[in-house]
Amino acid sequence: LLRRLVTLISAQAALGASSQAFRKQAEGASQAARQYLEDNDALRKQLQESGGAPSPTRDENETLKAKVESLKEELQLSKK
């Protein structure tokens, strides 16, 4: 009976230590995630304050695609 009691107390101590380690690990991960979210928000605010990178319009995209195609053709001709 005493041996079983000692075994159970030992198992409880091991589980308690394991539980504390997992709790600390979870708190660390939570804190890191919170910090990443704060950094992300700060970067978004900076981008908005600086005016952000203007997104190209559809016409600009089409023009750039045509330019790429013509440059590809020139490259093919120069390879020959």
Side-chain angles (χ1 to χ4, degrees):
L1 181 64
L2 288 175
R3 185 181 311 159
R4 180 70 177 147
L5 183 60
V6 168
T7 304
L8 289 174
I9 290 172
S10 176
Q12 182 195 16
L15 288 174
S18 176
S19 173
Q20 286 179 349
F22 287 137
R23 186 176 302 122
K24 285 184 182 180
Q25 184 180 9
E27 287 172 358
S30 175
Q31 187 177 23
R34 194 175 308 116
Q35 183 64 39
Y36 289 138
L37 287 174
E38 289 172 2
D39 290 347
N40 190 20
D41 288 340
L43 289 173
R44 283 186 184 185
K45 286 179 183 177
Q46 277 183 339
L47 185 62
Q48 286 177 352
E49 289 172 358
S50 68
S55 59
T57 63
R58 186 179 196 112
D59 292 336
E60 290 173 334
N61 282 339
E62 294 300 323
T63 305
L64 290 173
K65 284 180 183 178
K67 200 178 247 188
V68 166
E69 289 301 318
S70 67
L71 289 173
K72 282 182 181 178
E73 289 173 4
E74 282 183 37
L75 179 63
Q76 291 298 325
L77 289 175
S78 66
K79 283 184 180 179
K80 289 180 183 180

